[in-house]
Amino acid sequence: MATIKDVARLAGVGLGTASRAINGSGPVSPATLERVRKAIDELGFRPSHAARALLSGSSKMIGVYIPALSGTFFTPILQIIDTELRAAGLHMVVAFGVGLGNARRQALEGIEFLIERGCDGLIVMTSALDEGDLAVAGSRLSRLVALNHGFATIPDQCFTVDHMLGGRLAARTLLENGHRDIALLTGPMELEDSVARIDGFLAELAAAGIDTTAMWRREGDFSPAAGWAAARELVASGRKPTALFCANDEMAVGALSHFQEAGIRVPHDLSVLAYDDTPSAEYAAPRLTSVRMPWQQMTLNGINQLLNLCYDLKRPVERDFPVTVTLRASVAKLDR
């Protein structure tokens, strides 16, 4: 396989000149450029990514860490990131939570993996890390952007949404439809964003005079299987709340599946409210009413900030991401 040294030798130029001609990174005379091009064609030379990175000092790669490569939540976010990076002439390298460790250990190992691959910058989407864990980024910390989580030490590099407000809006939606006997399926309560949405939900209900300590409540892992299992347990308990709030769409979809199997009509017998407003909410049966998190805006602005930090660009960056509720068919007004 031909190397850049072979190209330089055949073209009769120095290695630096060949590099500038190949990468378009500096002045090269038309005649020299033509000789280099002929040498490339004759040798069938194709510069490796590693060689380009070594010569330019930039890998043109952005590392992305997400906790899991599954479901309908992370996939659209990865699509947004990949589309934006490719449009900027960059590439995405993804690491996600694997291994025997807990979520924190998996995140630390994932970030180390991305740094070892020479990524110019990092996009990190996990709430399992605390301030002290940022040390793992080393010199990359100034070129790291956090999505869906905030760090006090790098506030300008964090892009998140108001999950407590999201929880309050969820409760308000059910209350406005006459629901007061409400069951609750939370996400993992060791995760900051999960805690915030539930705190907001319970606070709004308590402000309306509802005894939240008496609610039927279970904790899930954000998967459809967790939603199905919780719905089965709720039905078996004999409790008959008028509404169920699921802390994400995928658990709500799993719950809908079991309710259908058990002969419970949604929303006629039981209303179901979800959270995130991913594509799974829009195409569920019935279509899910869901708290809408502006993930696209958050992600795009996080990317803009990271490219500004890594490549000294001047992309616009916004930080206000309004939370709303998308009303669909799974929540009905209580008439009894």
Side-chain angles (χ1 to χ4, degrees), residues 17-314:
T17 300
S19 172
R20 290 195 300 275
I22 292 169
N23 294 295
S25 57
V28 179
S29 70
T32 300
L33 183 60
E34 182 61 26
R35 292 206 309 274
V36 172
R37 285 175 176 170
K38 287 182 177 179
I40 288 173
D41 291 341
E42 184 175 336
L43 294 169
F45 171 72
R46 185 174 182 178
S48 70
H49 184 85
R52 285 183 181 272
L54 185 63
L55 290 166
S56 68
S58 171
S59 68
K60 302 297 182 183
M61 297 191 302
I62 297 296
V64 181
Y65 177 80
I66 58 173
L69 192 60
S70 63
T72 58
F73 177 73
F74 290 111
T75 300
I77 290 174
L78 289 178
Q79 289 175 334
I80 293 169
I81 295 173
D82 187 56
T83 298
E84 287 298 305
L85 293 183
R86 284 180 178 271
L90 306 169
H91 294 279
M92 175 177 73
V93 180
V94 180
F96 55 95
V98 294
L100 300 178
N102 59 20
R104 174 179 173 272
R105 172 47 53 190
Q106 291 177 9
L108 291 172
E109 291 178 354
I111 293 171
E112 289 173 347
F113 170 87
L114 296 170
I115 292 173
E116 290 170 357
R117 295 309 178 275
C119 294
D120 292 336
L122 303 173
I123 298 174
V124 177
M125 192 168 189
T126 176
S127 58
L129 301 179
D130 58 29
E131 299 286 339
D133 293 326
L134 291 175
V136 70
S139 63
R140 298 295 198 289
L141 182 57
S142 62
R143 291 172 283 153
L144 178 150
V145 159
L147 299 183
N148 199 36
H149 190 61
F151 293 101
T153 52
I154 52 170
D156 291 341
Q157 295 164 236
C158 299
F159 294 80
T160 188
V161 292
D162 190 342
H163 287 289
M164 182 165 286
L165 174 60
R168 285 187 175 276
L169 291 178
R172 205 170 298 164
T173 298
L174 295 178
L175 290 169
E176 289 172 351
N177 282 278
H179 297 280
R180 296 182 67 86
D181 186 0
I182 302 167
L184 173 61
L185 175 56
T186 79
M189 295 305 287
E190 71 272 14
L191 300 181
E192 183 178 297
D193 63 314
S194 183
V195 171
R197 70 190 69 175
I198 299 306
D199 283 351
F201 182 76
L202 296 176
E204 192 74 12
L205 293 183
I210 294 176
D211 180 6
T212 59
T213 64
M215 293 174 61
W216 186 94
R217 174 174 172 169
R218 294 295 182 272
E219 181 176 335
D221 63 1
F222 285 145
S223 70
W228 196 94
R232 180 180 61 180
E233 189 175 347
L234 176 59
V235 172
S237 73
R239 296 278 294 267
K240 293 185 177 180
T242 64
L244 169 67
F245 173 49
C246 297
N248 80 330
D249 292 335
E250 292 195 18
M251 290 196 297
V253 168
L256 288 179
S257 178
H258 182 77
F259 290 144
Q260 192 276 331
E261 184 176 292
I264 296 173
R265 300 170 302 165
V266 176
H268 303 88
D269 302 323
L270 176 70
S271 288
V272 175
L273 176 64
Y275 194 97
D276 286 337
D277 200 21
T278 60
S280 60
E282 186 173 1
Y283 297 108
R287 300 172 74 216
L288 281 164
T289 291
S290 185
V291 178
R292 180 172 181 78
M293 291 289 122
W295 302 117
Q296 182 176 19
Q297 298 96 310
M298 179 192 75
T299 302
L300 288 173
N301 281 279
I303 293 170
N304 283 349
Q305 176 72 330
L306 184 62
L307 298 189
N308 290 346
L309 294 172
C310 289
Y311 307 111
D312 197 28
L313 304 182
K314 303 298 180 184

